[in-house]
Amino acid sequence: MRLDQFDLALLEAVQQDATISQQDLGARVNLSSAAVNRRLKKMNMHGVIRKTVALVDPAHLGYALTVITEVEVESERLDLLDAMKRSFLACPQVQQCYYVAGACDFVLVMLVRNMEEYTQLTRELFFESNNVKGFKTLVSMSNVKVGTAVPVGSEGH
Amino acid sequence: MRLDQFDLALLEAVQQDATISQQDLGARVNLSSAAVNRRLKKMNMHGVIRKTVALVDPAHLGYALTVITEVEVESERLDLLDAMKRSFLACPQVQQCYYVAGACDFVLVMLVRNMEEYTQLTRELFFESNNVKGFKTLVSMSNVKVGTAVPVGSEGH
DNA sequence: CAATCTGATGCAATTTCATTTCGCTTTCAT
DNA sequence: ATGAAAGCGAAATGAAATTGCATCAGATTG
């Protein structure tokens, strides 16, 4: 799908705040609300906008700790990796999981209430997997930036 | 702010999809649309819901690569750390930045179009900082999970 | 124990917003 | 030129959010 300057401006706006009315969006980018509606609908259908969600403050739900874990696997057999991926996907505390090339194999970003919850999770996710050679835990002292906005400025793809 | 079962159910729902109408939400949790409206407004005001945003697919904007960088700093002087934090915050490609205890000092999750863009960013963010002892780059081969939903089930805080 | 205060509810009226329709303009390839 | 395709704005329609109001349950107090 081809995106013009209007689309990009809309994306930039709704990435910051999806509650702005289409009228206001139109005023901001110089378009009628009908045009805004059509463009947003199209971008939703084409998957440019994956979804629109409420971002909840973890602290208010008791999730005070962000922990980053680097996991090294024993075997790279595909079925074993898939099983691990599935267990990470299924775990609500796992906010993000990347399968990476480099020193380790998986990087996880997790949200936990306290260290006990984390150690409990390591048991479930790592020890019981039988395919984890080792893991390194990094505890976040400060979540400097936790953003969701994809850069939109500069050139198109 | 105290959250009851209704609030939690609402949070769970709007974390998945913030476009559901308040009527439908009400039907789902057994509440009138007015009550849903009031509860959502309250949670917005109290910061339980930080914001509601559209999640954009990076690939559609040409951001094909996710890179994780572990940065080790030279000095932990507060003013120097703050300067670094600010430069990370200001960089749109930096999706997340954590200041961590452990082997390294910062963990960054970045979104870039290609490796060139990344090496360019390392120049701006790391080499020009004069406070980076070294950094390790992990390239994501598979973004297994990139979620935003804070766990809501189980016990309250 | 009764009075009262608080916070939250549902209903219904109102207002705001999203969505569709329609006629018009532009672009581009015939 | 000409017709098809794409996109626009204004206005009509339909849906949703918001608010006023009467009410109710639970806690607090005299």
Side-chain angles (χ1 to χ4, degrees), chain A residues 30-46:
Chain A
N30 242 35
L31 227 48
S32 73
S33 78
V36 171
N37 185 281
R38 284 186 285 255
R39 283 166 180 273
L40 288 179
K41 184 191 290 183
K42 200 198 237 183
M43 291 195 282
N44 270 291
M45 300 221 293
H46 286 238

Side-chain angles (χ1 to χ4, degrees), chain A:
Chain A
M1 178 187 175
R2 196 182 171 71
L3 301 172
D4 64 13
Q5 286 309 113
F6 288 118
D7 293 314
L8 295 180
L10 290 175
L11 285 181
E12 176 135 53
V14 295
Q15 278 196 112
Q16 305 300 327
D17 183 355
T19 67
I20 306 168
S21 76
Q22 298 178 353
Q23 267 187 56
D24 289 358
L25 284 174
R28 193 174 301 199
V29 305
N30 242 35
L31 227 48
S32 73
S33 78
V36 171
N37 185 281
R38 284 186 285 255
R39 283 166 180 273
L40 288 179
K41 184 191 290 183
K42 200 198 237 183
M43 291 195 282
N44 270 291
M45 300 221 293
H46 286 238
V48 178
I49 295 177
R50 289 196 302 110
K51 55 202 306 209
T52 115
V53 301
L55 298 181
V56 170
D57 180 1
H60 274 94
L61 289 177
Y63 287 86
L65 275 183
T66 303
V67 181
I68 298 167
T69 312
E70 302 177 10
V71 183
E72 200 179 341
V73 305
E74 199 79 68
S75 149
E76 311 259 354
R77 254 176 53 201
L78 281 185
D79 57 333
L80 295 178
L81 288 182
D82 273 359
M84 295 181 69
K85 289 184 184 179
R86 261 182 282 114
S87 77
F88 296 150
L89 263 173
C91 177
Q93 284 90 352
V94 174
Q95 296 289 295
Q96 293 154 52
C97 169
Y98 305 96
Y99 180 57
V100 301
C104 62
D105 299 296
F106 286 103
V107 175
L108 304 181
V109 178
M110 298 200 236
L111 223 45
V112 293
R113 284 191 247 254
N114 47 53
M115 265 304 169
E116 266 134 19
E117 185 170 350
Y118 177 66
T119 57
Q120 176 56 29
L121 278 177
T122 60
R123 254 185 278 284
E124 296 170 13
L125 293 174
F126 307 146
F127 291 114
E128 287 177 10
S129 123
N130 286 328
N131 190 34
V132 172
K133 188 186 287 179
F135 63 91
K136 199 166 63 170
T137 298
L138 306 174
V139 178
S140 171
M141 296 184 288
S142 160
N143 295 2
V144 178
K145 181 176 189 175
V146 184
T148 58
V150 178
V152 145
S154 39
E155 331 76 3
H157 72 139

Side-chain angles (χ1 to χ4, degrees), chain A residues 141, chain B residues 73-81 99 104-105 131:
Chain A
M141 296 184 288
Chain B
V73 306
E74 199 80 67
S75 150
E76 311 259 354
R77 254 177 53 202
L78 281 186
D79 57 334
L80 295 179
L81 288 182
Y99 180 56
C104 62
D105 298 297
N131 191 34

